[in-house]
Amino acid sequence: MNTPIRVLVIALAIAGLAACKSKEVKPVEEPVRDTTPPVQTTPTQTENWTDPSLLESKPCLVSRVSYFDFDQSVVKSEAMEMIRCHGKWLASNPGARISLEGHADERGTREYNIGLGERRGNAVRDLLLANGGRGEQVSVISYGEERPICTDSEESCWGKNRRAEIVYTARQ
Amino acid sequence: MRWIHACLLLLAVLLAAPLRAQQGALPITVPNGVEGSIPIAIVPFAWEAAALPDPTQIDQVVRADLNRTGQFNALRKEDIIELPTRASEIRYPTWRTLKQDYVVVGRVLGAEGGGFRVEFELHDVLKQGSLLALSLPARTGEFRAVAHQIADLVYEKIIGVRGAFFTRIAYITAQRIGEARYEYAIWVADSDGYNPQRIVWNSEPFLSPAWSPDGRSLAYVSFERQGGHSIYIHELATGARRLVTSFKGINGAPTFSPDGGSLALTLSKGGNPEIYLLNLASNNLTQLTRHFGIDTEPAFMPGGNSILFTSDRSGKPQIYAVSTSGGSPERITQVGDYNARVSASYDGRLLAMVQGNRNVYRIAVLDRERGGAGAVRLISPGPLDESPTFAPNASMVLYAAREGNRGVLYNASVDGAVRFRLLELPGGDVREPAWGPFRQR
């Protein structure tokens, strides 16, 4: 072996060692990077809050209805995530417009229930505004007990009717 | 061949459905009168005109009218064994044997110009004498109206209060006409539900019909304008409509002042529902209530100086009164968790409202001249009764009820002793009755 060849062999051996060493290190470092972030970060990075298809795919945006207790207009905690999402959509899409339709169950008088439906609509509107929506993006209309989801005179049905529905009149 | 019949039947049903929607609610024949109330025999009227007889059975209409009040027990037609048509033919012992206090006889005669004259007499069986003998003009198609006027005159003579049968009622129907498609309509009919006429209809809801004091117009709430409620005044004879308010938010619960010059209504344009007074001549709007609670369902007291309304300012809906010149409201109802949608009798003595207790909503009548527990009387069984409206003489109350998933109208005597289902609509709802004012004879 002449010197140049020997130098090359040694160099290759060092490089090979180095390569081996780096291969040994990588498996330790890479799994940390690979398993935890990729699944969550990649969609967040590609989630586009101005893409209208998000309204039909993201569960908290697909969800549009907030339910209420009898004679109450306090928004329940289970509706909060849904409302926060729609607030974010309004903030991300200045042209978006929501009509909030407030409803009541059949118990009680019709015009009082119109008042109750409006109060429920207003409660959801206030939370949408607190979560990024602007006043001109949200209007409230009360249907009282005039537009029931179901018409059986029992609690299972009444609970479905006591609601405020988010209806997009403009998505962006 | 059978399938052809089935198809024809289906076709007939399909064709009949929209027709039925236009024909409106069906009046229900009033059953017999109430034991213990005033016994009266209405003898079938004789047809003595040259023209072919009108199909209207005047005696039947009068009988049903009087029975509806609960104050009379009209002798059933099949129990009438003699058919006198004038005073000279009445044999008092017969009617005394039948335990009748009064007997009414009558006849239809031809009149000049192709019209008719309906003559009738009211006799006191015990005193064996005539109390009333009158002749009313009639044209073809007016015999039911004449019968209601006869019932009014008989009622007034015996009870001492003007009868309210020759009046009209308004109500709302809602009928499913397809997948998630409804037709809402406002109707006007005779006080017994006959002669329904469709005033206005739409695929969006109507609410809260209210009569003008002259009986010529209805005010109501419509959802027909995109994105909001509006209040219209609708002239019945011409169909002309005036858009009264369409502010942002609620435009609701219109009701005419007794002089017809203004409208009390609910507006939420200021952020939440408040009672306002709208001068119909000047369009001047006066706010009467100021509270963050729901204030709605205004109703004038007779005289027009005070307005009753529903407010949940105490936490639950209760009835309050406020002066039309302003000031702080005074709470009226003290009994019950839920009192709403009040209306006052012509003399202001009685207040009818919806009283809720847990899941049961009944019609309550509050007598303001009585104190204590007897002041409030529940006149309907519930569980979802609403929209009480007094006859203009306060002898009866009409209200809406739910029966087997359908809205129907009930007619109750003011003490609740007698209740009859007045109107129903196959496959649909009848709701929100409003009893119109007295009419000129």
Side-chain angles (χ1 to χ4, degrees):
Chain A
M1 253 195 232
N2 55 20
T3 316
I5 289 170
R6 200 186 293 166
V7 168
L8 185 67
V9 167
I10 290 167
L12 278 170
I14 291 169
L17 259 177
C20 278
K21 211 175 189 180
S22 71
K23 261 178 197 164
E24 276 170 355
V25 175
K26 263 186 187 166
V28 184
E29 283 179 339
E30 278 188 346
V32 179
R33 236 185 270 151
D34 275 353
T35 52
T36 37
V39 184
Q40 284 177 337
T41 48
T42 326
T44 334
Q45 281 158 4
T46 60
E47 201 170 76
N48 178 359
W49 278 80
T50 57
D51 174 7
S53 70
L54 203 62
L55 281 171
E56 309 304 334
S57 56
K58 194 172 171 61
C60 70
L61 283 173
V62 171
S63 170
R64 307 270 164 93
V65 186
S66 167
Y67 296 97
F68 295 85
D69 287 335
F70 176 61
D71 205 18
Q72 295 297 314
S73 55
V74 179
V75 177
K76 295 185 183 180
S77 54
E78 57 257 40
M80 291 306 295
E81 193 206 344
M82 178 271 284
I83 292 170
R84 268 195 293 272
C85 274
H86 287 286
K88 184 175 178 184
W89 181 266
L90 290 177
S92 314
N93 297 276
R97 293 291 181 272
I98 280 175
S99 173
L100 270 170
E101 300 182 350
H103 300 268
D105 70 33
E106 63 182 349
R107 291 172 293 169
T109 61
R110 290 177 183 274
E111 287 280 5
Y112 179 77
N113 282 339
I114 291 281
L116 199 53
E118 185 180 75
R119 202 184 255 176
R120 288 172 178 157
N122 287 345
V124 175
R125 178 201 58 197
D126 291 349
L127 287 169
L128 284 172
L129 300 194
N131 282 280
R134 290 189 320 281
E136 70 269 21
Q137 290 181 290
V138 186
S139 63
V140 173
I141 180 169
S142 174
Y143 283 97
E145 59 179 282
E146 309 304 316
R147 285 278 170 82
I149 291 284
C150 75
T151 57
D152 297 328
S153 293
E154 54 187 45
E155 179 52 38
S156 63
C157 189
W158 291 331
K160 290 176 191 153
N161 291 335
R162 292 188 304 267
R163 69 204 193 273
E165 288 185 23
I166 290 174
V167 176
Y168 278 91
T169 52
R171 295 174 163 233
Q172 283 182 297
Chain B
M1 288 304 278
R2 195 165 286 168
W3 66 272
I4 293 179
H5 284 129
C7 286
L8 283 174
L9 188 66
L10 184 65
L11 188 67
V13 169
L14 289 173
L15 286 172
L19 277 180
R20 212 197 282 136
Q22 284 172 23
Q23 279 162 6
L26 304 174
I28 290 146
T29 312
V30 177
N32 301 327
V34 182
E35 296 288 330
S37 46
I38 301 168
I40 185 169
I42 318 293
V43 179
F45 283 34
W47 186 271
E48 296 178 0
L52 283 173
D54 188 273
T56 305
Q57 301 290 312
I58 293 174
D59 60 305
Q60 218 164 294
V61 177
V62 174
R63 210 174 284 129
D65 278 352
L66 295 175
N67 280 346
R68 263 202 333 275
T69 63
Q71 292 163 287
F72 288 91
N73 179 13
L75 188 64
R76 291 184 303 170
K77 190 172 187 173
E78 55 266 39
D79 294 336
I80 295 175
I81 51 177
E82 285 179 9
L83 297 171
T85 60
R86 44 190 34 84
S88 60
E89 296 170 6
I90 297 174
R91 297 197 298 180
Y92 291 110
T94 305
W95 304 103
R96 194 178 285 186
T97 307
L98 290 167
K99 297 193 170 68
Q100 299 302 298
D101 287 359
Y102 301 95
V103 59
V104 173
V105 298
R107 59 232 163 242
V108 181
L109 307 166
E112 305 266 317
F116 302 93
R117 217 167 66 239
V118 182
E119 298 181 347
F120 76 98
E121 295 170 56
L122 167 66
H123 284 251
D124 186 321
V125 174
L126 298 177
K127 291 180 182 160
Q128 306 203 355
S130 171
L131 295 174
L132 201 60
L134 287 168
S135 170
L136 302 176
R139 287 193 304 265
T140 303
E142 291 182 344
F143 285 98
R144 291 195 75 90
V146 168
H148 290 310
Q149 291 171 56
I150 292 171
D152 280 348
L153 292 161
V154 168
Y155 182 89
E156 182 167 359
K157 193 72 198 173
I158 296 170
I159 303 291
V161 172
R162 184 172 177 179
F165 307 111
F166 180 53
T167 52
R168 291 188 293 178
I169 58 172
Y171 55 85
I172 289 174
T173 57
Q175 198 161 27
R176 207 184 132 107
I177 54 168
E179 188 62 38
R181 283 174 64 230
Y182 286 85
E183 185 191 82
Y184 300 87
I186 301 181
W187 300 75
V188 166
D190 294 350
S191 72
D192 59 356
Y194 283 81
N195 295 325
Q197 301 194 7
R198 197 166 60 154
I199 303 304
V200 63
W201 58 96
N202 201 277
S203 55
E204 295 291 323
F206 291 110
L207 273 171
S208 303
W211 287 89
S212 65
D214 62 9
R216 288 187 184 152
S217 305
L218 289 177
Y220 54 79
V221 176
S222 172
F223 286 51
E224 69 199 74
R225 286 165 66 91
Q226 190 68 36
H229 314 165
S230 39
I231 294 174
Y232 289 90
I233 293 179
H234 191 126
E235 196 180 19
L236 299 177
T238 61
R241 297 208 303 171
R242 169 181 169 189
L243 177 61
V244 181
T245 67
S246 57
F247 291 105
K248 185 168 171 275
I250 295 170
N251 295 258
T255 184
F256 283 92
S257 62
D259 66 6
S262 38
L263 212 55
L265 44 93
T266 304
L267 301 172
S268 69
K269 65 190 181 76
N272 74 308
E274 305 284 4
I275 308 293
Y276 290 78
L277 202 55
L278 175 72
N279 183 308
L280 290 171
S282 67
N283 273 332
N284 192 25
L285 201 56
T286 313
Q287 186 173 347
L288 292 180
T289 62
R290 282 177 182 80
H291 196 278
F292 57 82
I294 294 174
D295 293 338
T296 188
E297 301 171 332
F300 278 91
M301 285 296 280
N305 296 323
S306 174
I307 289 176
L308 304 167
F309 63 98
T310 307
S311 176
D312 71 343
R313 56 188 63 202
S314 69
K316 296 269 191 178
Q318 294 292 346
I319 306 300
Y320 291 77
V322 66
S323 165
T324 48
S325 52
S328 51
E330 167 204 0
R331 183 165 162 177
I332 300 293
T333 48
Q334 307 296 342
V335 180
D337 264 2
Y338 187 118
N339 288 295
R341 236 309 303 253
V342 72
S343 66
S345 62
Y346 70 95
D347 55 1
R349 177 176 172 172
L350 303 176
L351 304 180
M353 67 195 80
V354 175
Q355 191 168 91
N357 186 1
R358 291 163 187 265
N359 284 340
V360 179
Y361 293 79
R362 304 166 70 181
I363 307 303
V365 174
L366 168 67
D367 186 340
R368 303 192 81 195
E369 289 181 11
R370 289 181 68 168
V376 176
R377 190 195 286 263
L378 292 162
I379 66 160
S380 79
L384 288 167
D385 301 337
E386 61 180 1
S387 306
T389 174
F390 279 108
N393 67 359
S395 63
M396 294 174 277
V397 174
L398 262 181
Y399 65 92
R402 279 199 87 70
E403 273 183 3
N405 248 352
R406 283 194 302 142
V408 297
L409 298 193
Y410 266 86
N411 185 117
S413 60
V414 76
D415 61 359
V418 183
R419 280 178 299 111
F420 295 118
R421 200 184 325 138
L422 186 78
L423 285 176
E424 62 179 8
L425 180 66
D429 286 353
V430 194
R431 54 171 80 144
E432 295 205 86
W435 208 315
F438 287 121
R439 299 167 77 183
Q440 295 305 312
R441 287 170 188 141

